[in-house]
Amino acid sequence: MEGKQKFLHGTLEATIFHATSYTPTFPFNCIFANGKPAYVTIKIHNMKVATTSHEQDRVWNQSFQILCAHPPDSTITITLKTPCSILGKYQIRADQILNESSLINGFFPLSLENGKPANSELKLRFLLWFKPAEYEPSWISTLSSGEYQGLKNATFSQRSNSHVTLYQDAHHCASFQPPFDLAASPRRLWEDVYKAIEGANHLVYIAGWAFNPKMVLVRDSVLEIPRAKGVRLGELLKKKAEEGVAVRIMLWDDETSLPLIKNKGIMRTHDEDALAYFKHTKVVCKLCPRIHNKFPTLFSHHQKTITIDTKSRTNPSNREITSFIGGVDLCDGRYDTEQHSLFRTLNTTSHSFDFYQTNIAGASLHRGGPREPWHDSHACLAGEAAWDILTNFEQRWTKQADPSLLVPTTTLSNLINQTYSSNQPERDWKVQVFRSIDRVSASQLFRNLTVEQSIHEAYVEAIRKANEFIYIENQYFIGGCGLWERDRNCGCRNLIPIEIALKVASKIKAKERFAVYVVIPMWPEGVPESESVQDILHWTRETMKMMYRLIGEAIKESGGSGHPRDYLNFFCLANREIERKGEYVPPHSPHPESHYWNAQKHRRFMVYVHSKLIIVDDAYILIGSANINQRSMDGHRDTEIAIGAYQTPKDHTQINRGDIHSYRMSLWYEHTRLGAEEHTLLQDPKNLECVQKMRSIGEQMWKIYSGDEVVDMEGVHLVNYPVSVTEDGEVEDLEEGGAIFPDTNTPVKGKRSKMLPPIFTT
């Protein structure tokens, strides 16, 4: 990058050593400040980014790795405090660090809160060292060297000797076979979950946001395990518990699930239903509220994990730990295939007893489709990393339930020895478990921190190491509020969208190709005209506007003639079906001219994207339960879990042609149905030809989806997100009625709620 840096973009390493014992006499609200323990906070752009422990002797010796993506006029404020007063502070502008000194180290006098110099005896010793993001090596070079050790600020270290299986959707039809020579073929998630639970000898640990014990996992007539078809999940778990397996289920306690509304709750998670279902059985089910000192009912336990002892893949006489992790809850509506049908499965075993549609008021099977199609992602771990998922469950259970109900250490020790003693060639994955969690929800956090934000840190690192392309699927895409046009103080400060925009900008200035593909739902789950949905759409539009503006500025400054959408594109998934003979005929109809009536008449609906994944350069994947918003990245809000993973083939030239590459290609085949003839084009997502092809498909399918005539989309689900982007990076509504989503009265740009506080929807 030529000239002075435009952003404070990189990592600020801050070490707080100690302070003098002098205390000013001014704080009337804190007469005995001399005896109070002191602590230090660091803010950038008025947002707190680090806090030390409270120490009586004012000696901390604590270091922080602070992720920065801030304008050069931002101010870094280091403040010395007691619980009841501000003793002094030190301020420095970001542009001073960028242009004068990247290393600041000394024993500095502090100023008073009003800016006047404090007594010369009040000093704080600290060190600031800024490392620009542009010096981060790419994933390919980092992984090829074999020296990558994983993220430092996480409870769990990077593990080797692991195997990862990646899943798209809960199930697949037998006919789904991408026409490419892939390293790994798609597998059926819920069938694998059933087989794993059925084969457990010692333990089945389930952590969930939602859980319905009446769900049937195996519904396809073409399957490996015919005995499993139609078996309810709850009955399978009760059977295993009767056999002596420790079945422990830890669910988020949705405190809005009340008898007055038949225990449905606002989020319909079935928590009370599950508790009642397993009462007086050997299955132990615990409901755990997400405890928060300010908003006790607002946030949730959002992790979705299953940990089971299974037969060893290499020696069936041995047992090992296997863990499932990702975005799929064991509950209503999640069962779907790559077809994402709206009407055609309503009289089949797939959905005749599992009709799910939360986006249309009053929707039910008796009134007919469309159902809400569901696209999701998940993973299964074997080897060392699977144990960290188990440990996370134990830490959370120990904090909010009875630890004596967990499987004894003596039983687990035998499994541990077998896991670490085997080093099989097929276990060529390295995996690290990340979390968003605080000490209220889990015991034994890393270095006794009060909060862990390693998912956010892992996302930022993944983006900074990107060299060619980024592919994201996520239920939400909100962040970087410090650079929004409006609502900059809403608290949605995660850096993921800014990091992506700055990565693209740096590539434009370096005259290098780079592409970003983001797949999100048309709108977040819920009735689209509702306050919360409108609010989230508003935040999403602000995020997009910020990103395209930065990219547009970079193109202009570089003197190029490109368009922002040559580099960044947002998509969603949708379906439209013509009527076929033999379809389910509902006994009742929706109210005329309603959203329900329109969607049924026009035979269309969005495919709800619930995935939470990022793929970088086909070399690295991050997948789990975390959305791209502040709730999931904060650590003090929703609890989350994810993994970052990559393969280590002997031939380093194949590092981006393994299972992650196969997974991305399989996902793209599901969304686009591009055949073998476009194989070469899809192999290189950074190329402009690939970008243009994906955008062309999205534009064509949006016209089919939004048009008046009912035209079958024939299995192609990718549509462009309905916005227009100018060459300057301005985001506008589509012309020709594109300001609202089809069949609704919902503006695509959303609307800021006058009722809901931002902390609720960001």
Side-chain angles (χ1 to χ4, degrees):
M1 224 183 264
E2 297 179 1
K4 295 181 180 179
Q5 284 184 280
K6 192 172 181 179
F7 274 77
L8 184 73
H9 182 214
T11 303
L12 185 65
E13 186 171 310
T15 302
I16 308 298
F17 296 106
H18 56 86
T20 56
S21 58
Y22 175 80
T23 301
T25 56
F26 67 85
F28 299 107
N29 63 330
C30 195
I31 299 174
F32 303 107
N34 255 325
K36 299 282 185 182
Y39 64 102
V40 177
T41 64
I42 303 174
K43 286 186 176 181
I44 303 179
H45 217 48
N46 260 344
M47 294 182 183
K48 190 185 295 182
V49 292
T51 306
T52 67
S53 58
H54 291 55
E55 302 295 341
Q56 198 88 30
D57 61 1
R58 300 189 185 179
V59 176
W60 297 278
N61 294 326
Q62 293 178 8
S63 294
F64 305 91
Q65 301 285 323
I66 301 169
L67 301 174
C68 304
H70 299 84
D73 60 352
S74 302
T75 300
I76 300 165
T77 304
I78 303 174
T79 307
L80 176 63
K81 300 179 176 182
T82 69
C84 57
S85 68
I86 296 175
L87 303 180
K89 63 183 180 181
Y90 184 91
Q91 292 184 317
I92 182 170
R93 281 171 58 96
D95 55 6
Q96 291 176 257
I97 293 176
L98 290 171
N99 304 323
E100 297 173 19
S101 176
S102 62
L103 179 65
I104 299 172
N105 184 16
F107 207 6
F108 298 96
L110 303 181
S111 62
L112 299 175
E113 179 67 4
N114 59 13
K116 294 180 179 179
N119 189 296
S120 59
E121 295 180 37
L122 183 61
K123 292 183 178 181
L124 176 67
R125 188 176 172 217
F126 63 84
L127 178 150
L128 299 179
W129 181 27
F130 178 68
K131 293 173 277 189
E134 63 185 23
Y135 299 135
E136 284 272 2
S138 70
W139 278 115
I140 301 297
S141 62
T142 299
L143 302 183
S144 296
S145 70
E147 297 177 358
Y148 182 62
Q149 299 299 312
L151 198 70
K152 294 179 181 178
N153 296 329
T155 298
F156 303 109
S157 303
Q158 178 178 277
R159 310 297 187 189
S160 55
N161 193 25
S162 296
H163 180 77
V164 179
T165 303
L166 298 169
Y167 300 91
Q168 59 196 88
D169 306 313
H171 189 69
H172 280 303
C173 299
S175 59
F176 183 69
Q177 289 297 328
F180 315 124
D181 183 18
L182 300 180
S185 298
R187 291 190 59 84
R188 296 170 167 182
L189 170 61
W190 276 13
E191 284 191 19
D192 283 357
V193 169
Y194 185 98
K195 286 186 284 188
I197 293 174
E198 185 183 48
N201 282 358
H202 299 291
L203 62 91
V204 176
Y205 288 174
I206 298 174
W209 175 82
F211 180 91
N212 186 351
K214 296 180 181 179
M215 274 298 100
V216 173
L217 296 181
V218 181
R219 311 179 190 184
D220 198 332
S221 57
V222 182
L223 70 169
E224 299 175 17
I225 41 176
R227 65 186 177 281
K229 187 176 180 182
V231 177
R232 288 184 174 184
L233 173 60
E235 295 307 302
L236 175 63
L237 293 172
K238 288 196 287 187
K239 178 175 177 289
K240 297 308 297 183
E242 288 293 332
E243 293 173 5
V245 176
V247 180
R248 306 291 180 257
I249 303 173
M250 180 168 51
L251 305 178
W252 170 50
D253 184 2
D254 180 358
E255 297 184 54
T256 67
S257 299
L258 302 170
L260 184 66
I261 51 174
K262 299 181 180 180
N263 289 331
K264 284 187 176 181
I266 293 174
M267 305 307 294
R268 300 183 182 182
T269 60
H270 294 283
D271 55 330
E272 294 291 344
D273 294 339
L275 186 67
Y277 189 94
F278 293 116
K279 194 174 182 180
H280 306 306
T281 74
K282 293 184 178 180
V283 174
V284 181
C285 180
K286 295 292 183 182
L287 305 188
C288 301
R290 175 64 176 101
I291 299 169
H292 192 281
N293 58 347
K294 293 182 179 179
F295 302 96
T297 63
L298 189 56
F299 302 119
S300 72
H301 290 302
H302 198 239
Q303 296 180 349
K304 308 145 196 321
T305 66
I306 309 170
T307 297
I308 307 164
D309 71 289
T310 59
K311 286 182 181 179
S312 170
R313 298 187 181 204
T314 55
N315 186 351
S317 63
N318 290 338
R319 308 293 295 177
E320 66 178 359
I321 290 296
T322 296
S323 292
F324 293 86
I325 178 174
V328 185
D329 280 292
L330 298 170
C331 66
D332 318 40
R334 272 49 171 181
Y335 185 93
D336 209 349
T337 72
E338 73 287 344
Q339 295 179 348
H340 299 302
S341 180
L342 306 175
F343 300 94
R344 295 170 184 166
T345 58
L346 298 185
N347 57 358
T348 71
T349 53
S350 293
H351 297 115
S352 59
F353 296 100
D354 184 15
F355 179 86
Y356 185 83
Q357 177 56 275
T358 60
N359 301 274
I360 298 176
S364 71
L365 184 64
H366 294 300
R367 290 187 175 90
R371 58 174 287 272
E372 180 182 347
W374 197 272
H375 175 68
D376 221 323
S377 57
H378 221 73
C380 178
L381 310 180
E384 296 178 16
W387 281 90
D388 292 333
I389 308 296
L390 171 64
T391 301
N392 167 75
F393 183 95
E394 290 179 328
Q395 289 180 355
R396 284 191 51 206
W397 184 279
T398 299
K399 196 75 176 183
Q400 291 196 272
D402 183 356
S404 68
L405 296 173
L406 295 171
V407 173
T409 307
T410 51
T411 303
L412 294 177
S413 61
N414 294 328
L415 297 171
I416 292 172
N417 293 335
Q418 291 170 24
T419 298
Y420 285 82
S421 63
S422 58
N423 197 347
Q424 299 100 35
E426 67 271 17
R427 297 209 167 164
D428 59 351
W429 286 79
K430 291 191 177 180
V431 182
Q432 188 171 12
V433 174
F434 307 121
R435 297 189 294 184
S436 296
I437 203 163
D438 58 19
R439 63 183 179 187
V440 176
S441 299
S443 59
Q444 302 171 342
L445 286 191
F446 178 68
R447 292 180 182 170
N448 295 319
L449 294 176
T450 58
V451 63
E452 180 177 346
Q453 300 171 324
S454 56
I455 297 178
H456 179 248
E457 292 168 19
Y459 260 93
V460 171
E461 181 181 50
I463 295 163
R464 290 182 179 179
K465 289 183 180 296
N467 188 51
E468 296 184 352
F469 79 93
I470 292 169
Y471 177 63
I472 288 173
E473 291 185 2
N474 207 283
Q475 184 183 6
Y476 298 98
F477 195 83
I478 306 170
C481 67
L483 294 180
W484 290 355
E485 289 182 354
R486 297 184 292 169
D487 303 301
R488 291 187 174 184
N489 296 317
C490 70
C492 191
R493 62 186 183 275
N494 80 79
L495 299 178
I496 295 167
I498 294 179
E499 290 287 344
I500 292 172
L502 292 179
K503 168 60 72 172
V504 172
S506 71
K507 289 292 186 177
I508 291 170
K509 292 172 183 177
K511 312 256 185 236
E512 297 175 7
R513 274 300 306 160
F514 193 84
V516 181
Y517 307 80
V518 181
V519 181
I520 57 177
M522 287 190 198
W523 66 82
E525 193 175 19
V527 176
E529 290 82 14
S530 65
E531 287 276 330
S532 59
V533 169
Q534 286 289 295
D535 218 23
I536 295 168
L537 285 171
H538 168 73
W539 307 130
T540 305
R541 178 64 74 94
E542 287 299 308
T543 302
M544 289 182 181
K545 285 162 61 178
M546 174 270 296
M547 295 177 73
Y548 278 120
R549 186 179 71 250
L550 290 175
I551 294 169
E553 289 172 357
I555 293 172
K556 187 176 181 180
E557 290 171 9
S558 69
S561 58
H563 191 282
R565 291 190 68 187
D566 293 344
Y567 302 92
L568 170 66
N569 284 279
F570 288 88
F571 301 93
C572 37
L573 303 179
N575 199 8
R576 195 167 196 178
E577 297 175 335
I578 60 172
E579 189 171 353
R580 284 185 182 175
K581 187 178 180 181
E583 277 188 12
Y584 171 73
V585 179
H588 304 287
S589 299
H591 190 276
E593 305 303 327
S594 64
H595 176 196
Y596 198 174
W597 187 85
N598 288 330
Q600 193 173 97
K601 174 188 174 184
H602 297 131
R603 295 186 64 87
R604 62 188 171 194
F605 206 75
M606 70 168 170
V607 175
Y608 195 68
V609 178
H610 194 257
S611 309
K612 297 97 170 48
L613 70 88
I614 179 172
I615 292 173
V616 181
D617 296 345
D618 277 348
Y620 184 85
I621 186 168
L622 202 156
I623 185 170
S625 68
N627 296 311
I628 297 178
N629 60 5
Q630 198 59 31
R631 289 183 66 119
S632 285
M633 297 295 162
D634 193 272
H636 285 300
R637 301 188 188 184
D638 293 343
T639 59
E640 308 284 4
I641 192 165
I643 58 166
Y646 60 94
Q647 282 178 290
T648 54
K650 292 179 181 178
D651 182 0
H652 290 306
T653 63
Q654 297 299 307
I655 208 159
N656 61 344
R657 285 296 180 265
D659 290 356
I660 297 173
H661 168 73
S662 297
Y663 186 58
R664 197 242 329 146
M665 293 288 286
S666 184
L667 284 166
W668 281 21
Y669 176 68
E670 175 182 335
H671 301 334
T672 68
R673 293 305 167 119
L674 287 178
E677 63 276 7
E678 286 94 356
H679 181 234
T680 304
L681 190 64
L682 300 184
Q683 290 271 17
D684 199 353
K686 76 174 184 296
N687 280 351
L688 184 57
E689 293 81 3
C690 184
V691 173
Q692 291 171 338
K693 183 65 176 179
M694 295 288 278
R695 202 167 67 220
S696 172
I697 293 170
E699 183 177 354
Q700 178 188 356
M701 300 317 294
W702 176 259
K703 287 179 180 178
I704 291 174
Y705 178 79
S706 60
D708 292 334
E709 182 184 357
V710 178
V711 178
D712 201 299
M713 292 175 68
E714 298 180 344
V716 181
H717 300 126
L718 190 77
V719 299
N720 289 346
Y721 193 85
V723 294
S724 175
V725 181
T726 69
E727 288 188 358
D728 295 332
E730 295 294 321
V731 179
E732 301 170 348
D733 287 329
L734 289 177
E735 297 178 0
E736 300 177 12
I740 63 172
F741 291 109
D743 301 326
T744 76
N745 295 315
T746 303
V748 175
K749 65 182 178 182
K751 184 180 179 182
R752 179 70 188 97
S753 173
K754 295 180 180 179
M755 297 169 48
L756 300 173
I759 195 171
F760 184 84
T761 53
T762 58

